[in-house]
Amino acid sequence: MLPPSRRDFVSLTVSESGSYTNSKQWRRQSCWRKWKQLSRLQRSLILFTLMLLLVGGITTSPTLIGHWRDGVVGENGYDGKQPFVVNLKNEYRSIPPELPSENRLQTKTNASGLLGVENHGLHLKNADKGSKGGKPIISWRGAVIEEEHASDTDTKDTEIQDDPASLALAESRLEAVREAFRHAWKGYKNFAWGHDELKPISKSYGEWFGLGLTLIDALDTMWILGLKEEFAEARQWVAKELSFDKNVDVNLFESTIRILGSLLSTYHLTGDSLFLEKAKDIGSRLMPAFNTASKIPYSDVNIGKGTAHPPQWTSDSSVAEVTSIQLEFRELSRLTGDPKYKLAVMEVMKQVHKLDGKQDGLVPMFINTNNGLFTHQGMYTLGARADSYYEYLLKQWIQGGKTEKEFLDDYLQAVEGVKKNLLKKSTPSGLAFVGELSHGHFSPKMDHLVCFLPGTLALGAHYGLPADHMELAKQLMETCYQMYAQMETGLSPEIAHFNMHEGSTQDVDVKIADRHNLLRPETVESLFYLYRFTKDKKYQQWGWEILQNFNKYTRVPTGGYTSINNVRDPASPNPRDKMESFFLGETLKYFYLLFSEDPNLISLDKYVFNTEAHPLPIWPQSE
Ligand code: DMJ
C-alpha cells in the first residue's frame, strides 16, 4: 500500500496534465516539480539507477563499440569497395559507400546501450520527420494517399520517452530480452552448434538444410541486441565453416528469407563484406529454381548440383512462397549490379498481377509451375500459403521508394477484399478477426500467422495509406493479443476459431490439433509496429506479458526454448523439443525493438523488414 503522500502525488500529476502544452519548457518545469515532490528514498533510488545506467553506458560507449566493430568485423570488414546498384529504370551505377557506413554508425550508436540510445535519439529528434500536407499523389477507388506519412502516425515517431522511469523500465525489459537470447544461444551453442535447429529437451539438433540455419537467422538480431561475443563467434563460424557448396535440397522461399535475407541485412548493419560475399553465393545458387516453363519458380533447389524441382507430390508452388522472395533478390541485384536476380522475381510479380482467379484482390493459395496459373481456386486466406504475398506487395512499394504503383494498387485492392470477404466480429466480445473463404463458404478460422496483418496495415498507414487501415490494425492487434490472453498459458495456439453465434460465452475456440505454439513472431512483430507508430504503452505491456509466458512455459533450464503442444494446459504444456530458427531471427528481435524507446533503432523510414525480420534498406529516392 502506498503512503498517503505518494497517492496524493499521483492525483496531482494527473490534474496537472490537464494543462498540458507539450512545450519543452513545460516538460522541464514539470520534471523539476515532480523531482521536488519525490521522497528522499525515491530520489536516491532514481539517482542510483541513473548511476548504474551511466556506468553501463560508459562501458559500451561509442569508442568501445568502435573497437568492437574493428575487432570483430574489421578484421575482414567493410573493404571500401563500392558495390553496384540497380535503379528503378534498370540502370546501374555504384552505391555510394555512405550507405553501409551510415547504417553501421546508427547501429553502432544504438548498440552502445541506453545512454547511447538516448543521445542518438535526442540528436536526431525530428530530423527525419516527413513534411506534412504534401499533395496527394495516388488514388485507388477513392482512397487518396498522401505523399508523406499520415498525420496521425508520424508526430510521435521520432520522440523518445526520455523520463528516467520510462528509460529505466525500457532498459530492464531490453535486458530481459538480451537474457532470453543468451539463454537460447547457450542451448544452441552447447547442443546444436553449426546445425539448423536446437532440440533443447533431448539436447541435440535437427537438420533441415544442414546450413547452420539458426546461427545465420540470428546474426542481425545479435548485432541489434549488442551481443558482441555471441556475434563474434557466429561470424567466425560463417567465415570458417559455412559452405553452400553442398549436395542438399533447400526450399527456395525459406532459404531466401532466412539465409539470404539475414546475410544481406547483416552486411548492411555491419558493413562487413564477408556477409555480402556469402549472400551472393547463396543467391546465385538459388537461381536454378526459376528455370521453369512458366518462370514461376520451383519450391526446391539443390544448391550443390544446381538443379531444381517441385515437391514430389505436385507441380504447384505456394503463392506466398513465390511472391515473398522479391525484397531479397531485388536488393541482391542492387548490391551486385547484376539485374538477373531482380528480373527473375519481378517476372513472377508481373504474372501474378495479371492472373485470373483473384477475388477482390485476394489470391488463391497455389500456382502451377508448368502453366503459371492459380490452382485450388476459390480458397482465400491471409494465413499459411498466402500471408506474405500481401505483406510483400506493400513492402516492395516501400523498398522501391513508392514508385511501383502496381504493388500499391494490388495491396489496396487486397485490403478492401479482406474487409469485404474475410473480416467479421466474434461473440460475445466483438473482436474483429480475419477468417477464410472456401468456394463462397466463410470459415471463422484464423491462423496465428495472420497476426502479421496489424503490423503491415499500420506500416501502410505510416506511409500515407488510408487512416482506416490504422483503425483496422488496432482492432486486429487487440484480437491477436486476445488469442494469447484467453489461453490458460497466456500463449496463442497455432490456429484459433472465433465464435459468431449468439449466446457464445467465449470468443475463441481451439481444436485439439491446433493447440500448439511454435514460438512464432507475428503478434510480437505487430506489437512492435503498433507501438512505434502510436507510442501507446499498452502494446509494450502486452508484449511483456507474452515474453513472461514464453519464459514460464517454453524455457528449457539447460538452455534454449521449445515449441509446446498444448497452450491450454499450464500444468502440462508438453514440450515439442524444437526451437525454430525464427525464435532468434524474429521473435526475440521484435521483442527488443518493441521495448526500445528509440525510433531510430532500425528506423522504419530507412529500413523495411523482410518477412523473417531482417531489415533491408529502403532505396534512396535518387536511385
Ligand atoms: C517465418 O519463417 C516467416 O515469418 C514467414 O513469413 C512465416 N512463418 C515464419 C514465422 O512464423
Side-chain angles (χ1 to χ4, degrees):
M1 185 77 176
L2 293 174
S5 60
R6 288 170 66 189
R7 284 210 304 268
D8 290 344
F9 164 64
V10 171
S11 68
L12 182 63
T13 308
V14 170
S15 71
E16 275 182 359
S17 68
S19 60
Y20 179 73
T21 63
N22 200 25
S23 72
K24 278 185 186 167
Q25 190 189 4
W26 182 91
R27 266 182 277 169
R28 262 197 303 271
Q29 286 171 356
S30 170
C31 284
W32 179 240
R33 263 202 303 278
K34 281 177 191 166
W35 178 254
K36 284 197 298 185
Q37 285 165 329
L38 294 177
S39 69
R40 187 173 299 173
L41 177 65
Q42 286 173 313
R43 288 186 205 179
S44 308
L45 272 173
I46 290 172
L47 284 173
F48 179 65
T49 310
L50 285 172
M51 284 292 291
L52 276 180
L53 296 176
L54 188 64
V55 170
I58 288 169
T59 55
T60 52
S61 72
T63 322
L64 291 179
I65 292 294
H67 173 68
W68 168 36
R69 189 193 72 221
D70 295 337
V72 175
V73 295
E75 168 202 332
N76 187 23
Y78 180 55
D79 56 13
K81 277 187 213 145
Q82 298 188 7
F84 290 88
V85 296
V86 55
N87 70 7
L88 296 168
K89 300 181 202 110
N90 276 343
E91 293 160 357
Y92 293 84
R93 63 186 177 74
S94 56
I95 272 188
E98 296 79 53
L99 180 64
S101 57
E102 180 199 345
N103 293 333
R104 271 206 314 280
L105 179 66
Q106 179 185 326
T107 305
K108 181 177 72 176
T109 314
N110 289 326
S112 69
L114 189 61
L115 287 176
V117 166
E118 185 181 4
N119 290 339
H120 185 53
L122 290 174
H123 174 63
L124 290 176
K125 207 175 252 189
N126 297 326
D128 54 0
K129 230 185 240 186
S131 67
K132 278 191 257 162
K135 59 181 188 309
I137 49 162
I138 301 161
S139 72
W140 180 86
R141 294 193 189 172
V144 177
I145 295 136
E146 288 177 13
E147 190 165 7
E148 293 302 337
H149 303 169
S151 58
D152 66 335
T153 54
D154 72 338
T155 47
K156 299 169 188 165
D157 190 35
T158 51
E159 287 179 10
I160 286 186
Q161 305 288 301
D162 53 2
D163 62 286
S166 283
L167 290 176
L169 180 64
E171 180 49 27
S172 69
R173 288 177 172 178
L174 293 173
E175 181 49 34
V177 182
R178 285 190 288 262
E179 193 281 328
F181 186 99
R182 282 194 204 99
H183 184 77
W185 193 249
K186 175 179 144 190
Y188 179 74
K189 194 175 163 184
N190 287 344
F191 310 123
W193 184 250
H195 297 285
D196 282 343
E197 286 155 344
L198 169 67
K199 295 173 83 169
I201 306 291
S202 55
K203 302 190 183 64
S204 60
Y205 58 83
E207 293 294 31
W208 189 5
F209 309 143
L211 296 174
L213 198 58
T214 294
L215 186 149
I216 298 176
D217 217 356
L219 283 167
D220 56 0
T221 304
M222 289 181 267
W223 184 267
I224 290 166
L225 269 58
L227 299 173
K228 309 169 197 178
E229 282 174 27
E230 293 82 354
F231 182 84
E233 61 198 357
R235 185 201 180 276
Q236 185 78 351
W237 185 87
V238 172
K240 298 269 161 36
E241 308 289 335
L242 177 60
S243 168
F244 295 127
D245 191 12
K246 277 187 170 174
N247 179 11
V248 287
D249 274 357
V250 303
N251 175 282
L252 170 69
F253 164 73
E254 298 291 358
S255 50
T256 298
I257 65 169
R258 301 187 196 212
I259 299 176
L260 178 57
S262 184
L263 291 169
L264 289 171
S265 163
T266 308
Y267 166 66
H268 277 293
L269 295 175
T270 63
D272 185 341
S273 60
L274 167 70
F275 300 107
L276 179 58
E277 292 312 311
K278 292 291 179 187
K280 286 189 215 165
D281 190 13
I282 185 68
S284 60
R285 287 172 185 275
L286 292 173
M287 288 305 283
F290 296 91
N291 294 335
T292 65
S294 66
K295 306 285 179 217
I296 301 297
Y298 288 131
S299 59
D300 297 286
V301 192
N302 186 305
I303 53 172
K305 289 186 188 162
T307 54
H309 58 87
Q312 276 173 352
W313 60 91
T314 176
S315 54
D316 292 348
S317 289
S318 93
V319 170
E321 292 194 357
V322 301
T323 57
S324 313
I325 49 181
Q326 279 66 18
L327 292 177
E328 299 81 355
F329 280 97
R330 280 155 53 107
E331 179 60 13
L332 191 58
S333 269
R334 196 178 77 103
L335 289 172
T336 59
D338 187 340
K340 71 179 178 199
Y341 308 108
K342 177 177 175 173
L343 292 175
V345 294
M346 293 303 279
E347 175 62 27
V348 179
M349 294 312 294
K350 255 189 246 162
Q351 291 193 36
V352 171
H353 176 65
K354 23 180 227 232
L355 267 189
D356 286 338
K358 293 181 198 160
Q359 178 161 338
D360 301 313
L362 304 176
V363 289
M365 297 149 78
F366 294 97
I367 188 164
N368 189 274
T369 51
N370 294 324
N371 61 23
L373 300 176
F374 287 133
T375 64
H376 302 75
Q377 295 200 25
M379 294 170 70
Y380 304 99
T381 175
L382 266 276
R385 303 198 178 278
D387 48 0
S388 42
Y389 161 73
Y390 304 100
E391 178 187 352
Y392 269 37
L393 286 177
L394 178 74
K395 289 183 171 177
Q396 286 176 85
W397 178 67
I398 293 172
Q399 179 189 43
K402 299 185 280 175
T403 56
E404 297 151 297
K405 194 169 164 299
E406 323 75 56
F407 294 137
L408 180 63
D409 284 346
D410 288 354
Y411 176 74
L412 289 170
Q413 192 184 11
V415 173
E416 294 308 308
V418 169
K419 287 196 258 178
K420 180 175 163 193
N421 299 290
L422 305 180
L423 185 65
K424 303 276 186 215
K425 293 221 165 162
S426 69
T427 354
S429 314
L431 297 173
F433 69 93
V434 176
E436 299 184 350
L437 206 58
S438 175
H439 305 288
H441 173 77
F442 180 80
S443 162
K445 162 182 178 279
M446 179 164 152
D447 294 351
H448 182 274
L449 288 169
V450 180
C451 289
F452 81 93
L453 188 58
T456 297
L457 288 168
L459 181 65
H462 177 68
Y463 273 96
L465 304 194
D468 74 320
H469 287 204
M470 192 61 178
E471 286 318 304
L472 182 55
K474 288 176 184 172
Q475 289 177 28
L476 292 172
M477 190 73 263
E478 166 83 34
T479 304
C480 289
Y481 167 64
Q482 289 300 332
M483 284 166 63
Y484 285 72
Q486 294 192 12
M487 296 300 110
E488 289 76 356
T489 54
L491 292 174
S492 171
E494 176 73 356
I495 299 170
H497 282 79
F498 286 86
N499 284 317
M500 292 174 67
H501 33 267
E502 271 182 38
S504 297
T505 52
Q506 53 178 26
D507 295 277
V508 184
D509 269 344
V510 185
K511 297 193 187 306
I512 289 178
D514 302 335
R515 292 180 165 187
H516 48 292
N517 179 297
L518 305 183
L519 312 170
R520 284 197 191 276
E522 291 78 16
T523 294
V524 187
E525 168 185 356
S526 285
L527 287 170
F528 154 63
Y529 284 103
L530 268 287
Y531 182 69
R532 266 286 164 100
F533 297 138
T534 67
K535 289 287 178 274
D536 187 336
K537 293 277 181 193
K538 81 177 174 200
Y539 299 122
Q540 288 185 323
Q541 185 53 33
W542 292 353
W544 182 240
E545 286 169 25
I546 293 170
L547 177 61
Q548 285 172 308
N549 290 323
F550 275 133
N551 274 329
K552 197 163 171 191
Y553 296 107
T554 72
R555 186 175 162 114
V556 180
T558 44
Y561 288 74
T562 179
S563 307
I564 55 173
N565 274 318
N566 192 354
V567 295
R568 308 226 66 163
D569 188 353
S572 182
N574 194 0
R576 278 195 162 189
D577 195 17
K578 183 167 174 177
M579 183 174 77
E580 300 275 355
S581 80
F582 52 67
F583 183 62
L584 279 72
E586 295 194 72
T587 312
L588 292 176
K589 184 188 289 151
Y590 282 130
F591 270 127
Y592 193 81
L593 294 170
L594 166 65
F595 298 140
S596 168
E597 297 295 357
D598 183 0
N600 297 304
L601 179 57
I602 315 296
S603 163
L604 291 171
D605 296 321
K606 292 182 179 153
Y607 292 93
V608 61
F609 286 87
N610 86 341
T611 193
E612 188 76 6
H614 300 301
L616 299 173
I618 293 170
W619 299 344
Q621 290 289 337
S622 54
E623 284 174 22

